[in-house]
Amino acid sequence: LDYPLYYQVGSVFATASGPTGAIETRYNNLTTANYDATSLDSLVLNLDNHDNPRFLATTGSTAARLEMALVFMYTTRGIPSLYYGTEQDFNGGTDPANREDMFDGLYEQGPSLGDNFNMTHPRFKLVAKLNNLRRLYPALRTGTHQMLWANFSTPGLLAYTRRIGTTEEVYVVMNTATTAQTIGARPTIHPAGTVLVNLFNPSETVTVAAGTDGIPSMSIPATSYKAFVSQSQY
């Protein structure tokens, strides 16, 4: 379990008080001096678990911030681990309040009341989509991870790519700030003229420009996320 990253995720996403650069700092510490080289991309990340308060138990956390954290967990390097009930917005605090009954039972409160295997819940549907994206795009499972932007003093933009050679790339960008932010042009493996599609909103496309930083600049609304792939691979 990548507990150092777990705590950074709480700061960056749950409270949205920490700078997004904390993620990059953690990744910079993933070296062969601390981990076996074959294990660097096999660390397990979770947002909450049976020993720690639920993500939504954190003061200041919101459903929108949980969605950003889920997108990060499923698209960043390593292995995602989902704790049951996170996809149903369970918000129990410290143990044992974080061990709510999933189905209608004796130990439940708040969002966990009743039978909660709800396949129409917004976070359930997001998790299902994210799992499917990992199935469709091997880069999200085994691709290299390259940080492309992070804020080292404030909440705000976080951007990275997952790549497999020159054949597949997923460009992920999110904004933890409470106001819209503009991210500048970023590098890509795709040639000029390639159309990129936002996996979370297929009606949004951008076209790669000529030059080193081919992905054009774009505005990222507050507390939101985007992920782009080439239109030919969508």
Side-chain angles (χ1 to χ4, degrees), residues 33-173:
N34 299 318
Y35 298 92
D36 184 83
T38 61
S39 300
L40 287 174
D41 290 316
S42 298
L43 294 171
V44 177
L45 173 61
N46 53 31
L47 307 182
D48 38 26
N49 57 51
H50 65 283
D51 287 328
N52 297 99
R54 298 266 184 186
F55 183 98
L56 288 176
T58 303
T59 300
S61 62
T62 64
R65 292 177 183 176
L66 174 58
E67 289 205 357
M68 277 195 302
L70 285 167
V71 169
F72 173 75
M73 183 175 76
Y74 277 91
T75 62
T76 194
R77 65 189 294 184
I79 301 171
S81 174
L82 183 74
Y83 184 40
Y84 82 90
T86 298
E87 81 291 352
Q88 303 292 338
D89 285 359
F90 282 15
N91 61 2
T94 56
D95 183 5
N98 57 356
R99 303 189 184 197
E100 309 99 314
D101 284 343
M102 182 68 177
F103 300 101
D104 193 12
L106 297 177
Y107 190 75
E108 43 186 8
Q109 49 79 35
S112 68
L113 286 170
D115 186 346
N116 287 280
F117 193 73
N118 180 3
M119 298 175 68
T120 67
H121 193 287
R123 254 59 68 197
F124 181 100
K125 296 196 314 188
L126 175 62
V127 168
K129 182 178 182 67
L130 289 167
N131 273 301
N132 197 38
L133 291 178
R134 286 179 65 86
R135 179 183 65 85
L136 292 171
Y137 300 102
L140 293 178
R141 304 192 307 269
T142 61
T144 59
H145 187 289
Q146 181 178 355
M147 297 294 294
L148 294 184
W149 188 267
N151 290 16
F152 283 88
S153 59
T154 62
L157 296 167
L158 178 70
Y160 51 90
T161 60
R162 302 295 307 279
R163 293 172 179 163
I164 293 181
T166 58
T167 61
E168 183 179 295
E169 175 182 272
V170 183
Y171 170 60
V172 182
V173 58

